[in-house]
Amino acid sequence: MPDVDGFDEFYRGSRQRLLGFVYALTGDRVEAQDAVQEAYIRAWQRWSTVSRYDDPEAWVRVVASRVAVSRWRSLRSRARAYLRHGATETVPGPGTDTIEVVAALRRLPEEQRTAIALYYLMGMPVAEVARETEAPVGTVKARLSRGRVALAGLLAVSDLEEATDA
């Protein structure tokens, strides 16, 4: 079992210095916080070993700087790839039919909406939907059936309103 009190004391005594150091490296407070957090997580996972080092803070400082540099390299690689390959083609927005279906789905109870999305949009079989939602197969079938009926009613109402407005 890790020495919780020892780690807490180490963390409280070193976190500000370490954050200041990594912030100076990155110039980005959020990136620095992420890198420092990752370094402390790794230190906690290995605390039984790290705590016996002459300078545990040095170990965490090296890990945090490596995490920050690794993230910077990843971002740089992505930026180069973007420049090499150019911007992705614009993806057209959803059509009016899609917007109407999504609006109708939002009006369904969550269980029905989830079952319909998993079954129809993700293409999952009923048994898999049942496992994912932790519901019996019969319940999933009922949710699908009720959801289809409710969707048909909601979509027919909006079609009827459009027809009367014309």
Side-chain angles (χ1 to χ4, degrees):
M1 168 128 176
D3 174 18
V4 175
D5 292 333
F7 182 82
D8 287 349
E9 182 180 329
F10 165 72
Y11 174 77
R12 282 191 300 274
S14 62
R15 68 180 181 225
Q16 289 303 99
R17 280 189 306 275
L18 192 57
L19 182 59
F21 168 73
V22 179
Y23 176 69
L25 288 179
T26 63
D28 184 316
R29 183 177 54 86
V30 174
E31 281 296 318
Q33 288 172 332
D34 288 347
V36 169
Q37 179 180 7
E38 178 66 28
Y40 276 113
I41 288 169
R42 292 180 189 181
W44 170 249
Q45 292 168 338
R46 299 162 181 80
W47 187 242
S48 59
T49 303
V50 173
S51 65
R52 292 192 302 257
Y53 291 163
D54 288 338
D55 189 0
E57 187 175 338
W59 185 90
V60 176
R61 190 171 43 251
V62 168
V63 171
S65 62
R66 286 181 179 166
V67 168
V69 167
S70 176
R71 289 182 180 178
W72 176 78
R73 285 181 180 154
S74 175
L75 288 172
R76 185 180 64 182
S77 294
R78 276 190 245 147
R80 284 182 178 161
Y82 177 79
L83 290 174
R84 218 176 18 254
H85 300 291
T88 58
E89 295 180 23
T90 58
V91 177
T96 55
D97 290 343
T98 302
I99 292 171
E100 288 174 10
V101 169
V102 169
L105 280 168
R106 286 184 182 149
R107 295 176 64 189
L108 296 181
E110 183 180 350
E111 294 85 9
Q112 290 176 9
R113 185 173 57 241
T114 301
I116 286 173
L118 292 172
Y119 184 77
Y120 290 105
L121 301 178
M122 299 300 297
M124 295 169 69
V126 171
E128 198 171 329
V129 173
R131 269 193 309 278
E132 177 124 350
T133 59
E134 298 178 346
V137 170
T139 302
V140 170
K141 288 180 180 179
R143 288 174 180 168
L144 288 170
S145 176
R146 290 182 187 125
R148 282 190 302 267
V149 169
L151 272 178
L154 290 168
L155 293 172
V157 166
S158 64
D159 287 344
L160 181 59
E161 289 171 357
E162 287 177 15
T164 57
D165 288 344

